[in-house]
């Protein structure tokens, strides 16, 4: 029986994967998440997903390893995790009243069958016009320092959004479950 391993320390990805009602473990991949010079944003997020899955898969046998990464893009600017409140304020001011695209990479590696699936899911978000008071209130009430573009849509950020559109609403939380379920089914993991 192959193990299923989520190559992530994210509690949000773990919670999402639990929705599929499968047994899995988690391992943190600890990779360098820096963007390479002249790297296209789609290639960047796909590469990080692949490198996360690969780092864990290298030390595993008879396993299915899942790697995922997410960034937000406004024009040509990439918005990752803010890590500090001051950066979060800057990010939220920059995306106020704008359309942003959340790009979520997914990589699934089967170490026994030597198969790999790699994809990218886009999810569009139109932000409301945000006042500085709303921004301060939001960042003081929500743990967003490890969320792309300071947006935690499964929490209070839903109140900052005018509308959303995309193929998979779970992708904006960091793990596109629709594609993941399809990949797991192809690898023989039965999910209804």
């Amino acid at each position: 029986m192959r193990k299923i391993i989520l190559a992530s320390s994210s509690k949000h990805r773990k919670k999402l994967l639990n929705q599929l009602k499968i047994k899995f473990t988690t391992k943190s991949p600890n990779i360098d998440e820096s963007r390479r010079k002249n790297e296209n944003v789609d290639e960047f997020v796909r590469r990080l997903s692949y490198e996360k899955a690969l780092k864990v898969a290298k030390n595993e046998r008879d396993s299915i390893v899942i790697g995922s990464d997410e960034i937000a893009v406004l024009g040509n600017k990439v918005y990752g995790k803010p890590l500090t409140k001051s950066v979060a304020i800057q990010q939220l001011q920059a995306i106020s009243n704008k359309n942003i695209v959340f790009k979520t990479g997914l990589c699934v590696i089967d170490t026994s069958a030597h198969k790999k699936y790699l994809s990218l899911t886009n999810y569009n978000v139109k932000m409301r016009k945000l006042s500085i008071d709303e921004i301060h209130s939001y960042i003081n009430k929500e743990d967003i320092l490890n969320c792309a573009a300071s947006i935690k849509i499964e929490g209070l950020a839903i109140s900052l959004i005018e509308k959303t559109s995309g193929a998979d609403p779970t992708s904006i939380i960091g793990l596109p479950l629709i594609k993941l379920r399809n990949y797991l089914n192809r690898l023989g993991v039965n999910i209804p």
Side-chain angles (χ1 to χ4, degrees):
M1 185 74 176
R2 289 171 299 171
K3 296 182 292 184
I4 297 175
I5 303 168
L6 177 61
S8 177
S9 56
S10 165
K11 61 185 177 187
H12 306 297
R13 286 190 180 103
K14 184 177 179 181
K15 187 176 179 182
L16 279 172
L17 189 52
N18 275 321
Q19 287 181 235
L20 296 183
K21 307 291 185 207
I22 57 175
K23 286 180 135 183
F24 68 94
T25 59
T26 60
K27 287 194 179 177
S28 181
N30 294 324
I31 65 162
D32 176 6
E33 296 189 30
S34 303
R35 188 172 171 193
R36 294 177 180 159
K37 188 176 180 181
N38 300 321
E39 187 173 32
N40 167 301
V41 291
D42 289 356
E43 292 169 3
F44 173 50
V45 76
R46 273 194 206 99
R47 177 180 59 81
L48 290 183
S49 302
Y50 172 67
E51 286 181 2
K52 286 178 178 182
L54 185 63
K55 176 128 186 223
V56 171
K58 282 182 177 178
N59 298 316
E60 298 294 333
R61 296 174 58 174
D62 299 322
S63 299
I64 295 172
V65 181
I66 302 161
S68 187
D69 197 78
E70 179 182 46
I71 58 171
V73 179
L74 174 59
N76 291 322
K77 182 151 174 60
V78 172
Y79 292 86
K81 300 169 186 171
L83 304 177
T84 68
K85 284 189 176 187
S86 62
V87 172
I89 292 167
Q90 292 169 6
Q91 286 185 343
L92 291 164
Q93 287 177 314
I95 65 175
S96 173
N97 203 34
K98 304 245 176 36
N99 292 301
I100 55 176
V101 179
F102 285 82
K103 294 179 172 288
T104 307
L106 174 65
C107 182
V108 178
I109 296 174
D110 184 331
T111 63
S112 55
H114 304 289
K115 288 186 179 179
K116 173 186 80 174
Y117 297 102
L118 183 61
S119 61
L120 179 72
T121 302
N122 290 332
Y123 202 80
N124 303 298
V125 174
K126 169 67 169 99
M127 300 297 295
R128 286 191 306 100
K129 185 168 177 56
L130 306 174
S131 71
I132 193 66
D133 289 340
E134 287 175 311
I135 290 170
H136 281 286
S137 176
Y138 169 67
I139 66 169
N140 288 326
K141 291 178 182 173
E142 191 71 85
D143 179 17
I144 47 87
L145 299 183
N146 287 306
C147 298
S150 305
I151 297 298
K152 186 175 180 184
I153 199 163
E154 68 275 26
L156 188 57
I158 198 71
S159 70
L160 308 178
I161 293 170
E162 192 172 299
K163 66 180 179 178
T164 66
S165 63
D168 188 341
T170 59
S171 68
I172 194 171
I173 305 171
L175 189 64
L177 292 182
I178 294 172
K179 280 188 179 173
L180 178 57
R181 180 222 168 255
N182 291 337
Y183 295 160
L184 291 174
N185 279 167
R186 288 182 203 173
L187 295 172
V189 178
N190 293 320
I191 301 168

